[in-house]
Amino acid sequence: MAWHQLSVVTDEHTAPELSDFFSELGAVSVTYSDAEDEPVYEPAIDQTQIWSNTRVTALFELDADLDVVQTLVANQFIGQPLRQWVAEVIQDQVWERAWMEHFQPMQFAGTLWVCPSGQEIDEPDQVCMTLDPGLAFGTGTHPTTALCLEWLAGHDLHSKVMIDYGCGSGILAVAALLLGAEHAHGVDIDPQALTATQYNAEKNRVLDRISYYLPEQLSLADADIVVANILAKPLIELSAVIAALVKPGGRLVLSGILNEQAQAVAEAYRARGLTVAEPVSQEDWCRLDAEKPA
């Protein structure tokens, strides 16, 4: 099945109204994308980020008349910025498989591989995790996740219990188990993340050693290793909760932090009694490694 796609660049004030109007005209989906190169790293939790120059893209069924749609939009938004109209027909495809054409096996700390289905690595002394795109964030391609995978693959996890706080796809919990951890606990506020975690644990045959919860359901007192790959603001706001999950002598790994945010996050956890090392950076992002005194 093919679709009509119509997109136009506007400003952050017009974009939400335009999105609603496209929906009223029968669009089956409407998405926003950055029309220039304006990085946005950390919007508020309840905020949908819209760029100052936003491309609004609407998808219509093939019987829609895009000339009529464009005329109706132009008449509705007289005097408001509408530029760079693009109309095209796009062919339907299996989007996950198309994305996977660009997802190649990745190695971390010389030991751990993250591979899409059908491209698994089978080599001596190597650990391979099979991961395909799914419901929740986390494939290892982003620096925040990669930094955590590097830490896990570079440490002895045997007989350790770990908590993946903000587990997303469950990639860090599953990686820890494949690397020898005894048990992993995934925690996330999004039920879809827990579904994705269960799926990836089952795919990698570690489902019997993982538990997953919404935050209010977590009953584990503490763990040998806690990894929290979220964002700086929630890391600071939840510092008391997250620090309490680390047992005395345990390790804490914090990620999802921009380089310029590292000091504020480190200070929040030092205030909770943890020793925090200097940040480890990759591109604009960094990881903070901490330890709770025994």
Side-chain angles (χ1 to χ4, degrees), residues 33-197:
S33 59
D34 183 7
E36 294 185 352
D37 186 16
E38 183 182 346
V40 174
Y41 298 113
E42 193 170 350
I45 291 174
D46 59 351
Q47 176 186 354
T48 298
Q49 179 59 46
I50 303 177
W51 297 267
S52 55
N53 288 285
T54 295
R55 178 167 292 280
V56 182
T57 301
L59 202 65
F60 295 87
E61 294 182 353
L62 274 183
D63 58 1
D65 188 327
L66 293 195
D67 290 334
V68 172
V69 171
Q70 185 171 341
T71 299
L72 291 171
V73 170
N75 291 337
Q76 179 72 15
F77 293 92
I78 294 173
Q80 299 185 55
L82 298 172
R83 56 188 176 87
Q84 297 179 22
W85 287 91
V86 177
E88 56 187 327
V89 175
I90 61 171
Q91 298 299 317
D92 201 6
Q93 58 182 306
V94 181
W95 295 104
E96 290 185 0
R97 302 308 302 183
W99 183 89
M100 282 176 59
E101 292 178 3
H102 305 285
F103 178 26
Q104 300 299 318
M106 298 171 290
Q107 189 182 35
F108 300 91
T111 301
L112 173 68
W113 288 88
V114 177
C115 303
S117 294
Q119 299 186 49
E120 289 85 357
I121 302 296
D122 184 12
E123 296 181 3
D125 302 320
Q126 299 291 295
V127 174
C128 182
M129 172 166 48
T130 304
L131 193 74
D132 296 329
L135 293 172
F137 171 82
T139 59
T141 57
H142 194 274
T144 59
T145 309
L147 285 163
C148 294
L149 290 170
E150 285 283 347
W151 190 96
L152 291 170
H155 288 77
D156 182 5
L157 307 185
H158 287 85
S159 303
K160 304 295 186 184
V161 174
M162 74 90 71
I163 296 174
D164 182 359
Y165 201 94
C167 58
S169 66
I171 180 173
L172 301 179
V174 172
L177 293 171
L178 292 173
L179 289 163
E182 179 180 304
H183 199 90
H185 300 266
V187 184
D188 206 287
I189 61 174
D190 184 354
Q192 283 195 325
L194 304 186
T195 300
T197 296

Side-chain angles (χ1 to χ4, degrees), residues 9 13 23 27 57 67 112 124 135 143 163 191 198 205 227 249 251 261 281:
V9 176
H13 306 294
S23 296
T57 301
D67 290 334
L112 173 68
L135 293 172
I163 296 174
Q198 178 183 2
R205 299 180 295 278
V227 181
R251 309 290 292 274
Q261 298 170 327
S281 295

Side-chain angles (χ1 to χ4, degrees), residues 163 165 218-226 228 235 237-252 254 268-269 271-274 291-292:
I163 296 174
Y165 201 94
L218 180 65
S219 59
L220 182 70
D222 52 26
D224 302 293
I225 299 166
V226 177
L235 284 175
E237 293 168 357
L238 295 169
S239 59
V241 173
I242 294 173
L245 294 174
V246 185
K247 67 165 43 177
R251 309 290 292 274
L252 174 63
L254 303 170
Y269 285 84
R272 303 293 176 185
L274 279 78
E291 186 171 355
K292 179 178 281 189

